[in-house]
Amino acid sequence: MIENKIVYGSEIAKEVKLNIQTSVNELKAAGKRVPHLVVLFVGNDVGSTSYVKGKENDCNEVGFIQTTHRYDDTVSEEELLNKIEALNKDPQVDGILVQLPLPKHVNENKVLFSIDPNKDVDGFHPFNVGKMLIQEETFLPCTPKGVMYILSKLGYSDLSGLKVVVIGRSNIVGKPMGQLLLNQHATVTICHSRTSNLADEVRGADIVVAAVGIPKFVQADWIKEGAIVIDVGVNRDENNKLCGDVDTQACLEKVKYITPVPKGVGPMTRAMLLENTLQSYQKREGL
Ligand code: NAP
């Protein structure tokens, strides 16, 4: 049954959101404040606008307070740093997220690193990246966290003895993905644009995570029979239709499970942002 091989992250995300909504309803019933996520959004990039809208909708859906501070792309670095400083101090704020990319005249790292690590619900602050590395409890970056959640739902929490190939080594997806898989005892290979014989690397994998950014890049003949394929990519194909990094249709015959694009990893990323915000709230409130 090919249909059973397609793993809809969107369905898993619904469950996660429902659980969060229940927690928020309990807080409201007890007269407590509810979690508050703040987004800083600079400019008017079309993709970023839709991501921010998605985050606003998600927060509304589960009952969080959500605030977006919008800035022209002429905003100074200082103004952003001052806003973050104020949000860091605000006891009513649980999560601070800076929508990327920022304009070229703003030092992205300086801005991201100014966020209080205890409110860094994206998990991008070096303090939290370090904690992830040594397996201390922290905010995990949302996309890799969402992938791990999907794998655990499929019965793959302990990855002992499994070979995993991650394609991509970005700071927000590939690298943390490799680390989280390693933390669950997988034998991990991280591939990138300088990898030779990429197809052969992928052929040895029990689980493949593609985070490349090239439409339908991963081919069916790279995939081992019975492998699990997680497609992180969000691209447009030749007809301007959303697609992932994997040639999904071609791979279906061979895989055990595969995540589609859309409705795969993307909704899980969003759900994990809500989870991180709730986690921050709970820690702040001593719950
Ligand atoms: P990125 O920063 O552009 O990184 C892409 C990675 O792919 C790099 O490490 C690059 O290698 C590698 N790569 C590029 N061409 C390659 C090739 N021919 N062979 C092997 N590796 C190659 O992208 P990203 O931010 O990690 O995002 C990756 C994809 O995931 C994008 O489509 C993005 O839109 C999507 N994404 C989805 C979500 C979600 O929630 N679903 C979240 C974040 C990102 P080098 O390092 O050597 O350049």
Side-chain angles (χ1 to χ4, degrees):
M1 280 287 283
I2 277 181
E3 189 53 27
N4 293 342
K5 295 180 173 189
I6 301 178
V7 182
Y8 288 100
S10 49
E11 292 303 311
I12 305 172
K14 265 186 209 159
E15 282 172 32
V16 173
K17 286 200 273 187
L18 211 57
N19 287 337
I20 294 174
Q21 196 180 39
T22 305
S23 300
V24 174
N25 286 342
E26 284 166 9
L27 292 171
K28 283 181 178 164
K32 299 209 168 93
R33 77 173 184 93
V34 296
H36 182 188
L37 174 70
V38 175
V39 176
L40 270 62
F41 179 24
V42 181
N44 55 8
D45 175 78
V46 179
S48 299
T49 304
S50 106
Y51 285 133
V52 169
K53 191 85 212 133
K55 284 162 192 167
E56 290 169 351
N57 290 344
D58 290 339
C59 285
N60 286 338
E61 200 181 322
V62 299
F64 286 2
I65 297 172
Q66 197 279 335
T67 311
T68 302
H69 296 286
R70 293 169 199 274
Y71 299 89
D72 285 343
D73 51 16
T74 52
V75 67
S76 69
E77 187 177 288
E78 195 189 359
E79 190 174 345
L80 293 174
L81 291 173
N82 287 342
K83 174 53 83 179
I84 292 173
E85 194 185 343
L87 294 169
N88 283 342
K89 287 184 188 144
D90 187 340
Q92 306 287 319
V93 171
D94 302 292
I96 305 168
L97 183 152
V98 177
Q99 184 65 41
L100 300 178
L102 291 174
K104 286 203 170 43
H105 67 274
V106 176
N107 181 332
E108 206 162 270
N109 278 350
K110 195 167 171 194
V111 169
L112 289 180
F113 299 175
S114 73
I115 297 172
D116 178 349
N118 292 309
K119 297 187 178 187
D120 167 42
V121 285
D122 253 342
F124 292 164
H125 193 288
F127 183 77
N128 290 326
V129 175
K131 281 180 120 182
M132 174 185 66
L133 200 77
I134 59 170
Q135 289 179 262
E136 280 286 308
E137 195 196 322
T138 186
F139 300 117
L140 300 176
C142 300
T143 301
K145 181 176 178 175
V147 171
M148 297 310 287
Y149 199 108
I150 292 174
L151 288 174
S152 75
K153 280 299 259 187
L154 295 173
Y156 291 82
S157 304
D158 182 338
L159 303 175
S160 301
L162 295 179
K163 289 186 181 160
V164 185
V165 167
V166 179
I167 317 175
R169 58 171 166 178
S170 69
N171 289 337
I172 60 167
V173 190
K175 280 185 211 159
M177 188 70 254
Q179 188 59 48
L180 294 188
L181 291 159
L182 182 64
N183 292 354
Q184 293 308 119
H185 318 298
T187 301
V188 182
T189 304
I190 301 183
C191 298
H192 44 79
S193 67
R194 314 286 180 96
T195 300
S196 55
N197 299 326
L198 177 63
D200 284 342
E201 296 290 350
V202 176
R203 280 187 191 109
D206 302 299
I207 300 174
V208 182
V209 181
V212 193
I214 303 177
K216 303 179 187 179
F217 177 69
V218 176
Q219 305 297 308
D221 69 337
W222 302 8
I223 302 296
K224 183 163 110 174
E225 198 73 44
I228 297 172
V229 178
I230 308 286
D231 192 350
V232 177
V234 180
N235 313 297
R236 296 267 165 194
D237 70 9
E238 59 282 8
N239 303 315
N240 205 31
K241 226 176 124 213
L242 271 187
C243 73
D245 288 343
V246 179
D247 190 348
T248 316
Q249 281 308 320
C251 290
L252 264 177
E253 281 293 337
K254 283 179 121 176
V255 298
K256 181 165 187 186
Y257 298 116
I258 190 165
T259 60
V261 179
K263 297 191 180 172
V265 173
M268 286 305 293
T269 298
R270 287 165 54 175
M272 293 301 104
L273 176 65
L274 298 173
E275 266 212 357
N276 282 356
T277 306
L278 181 62
Q279 179 188 333
S280 175
Y281 168 93
Q282 286 167 335
K283 198 167 170 213
R284 189 153 296 97
E285 296 293 325
L287 299 172

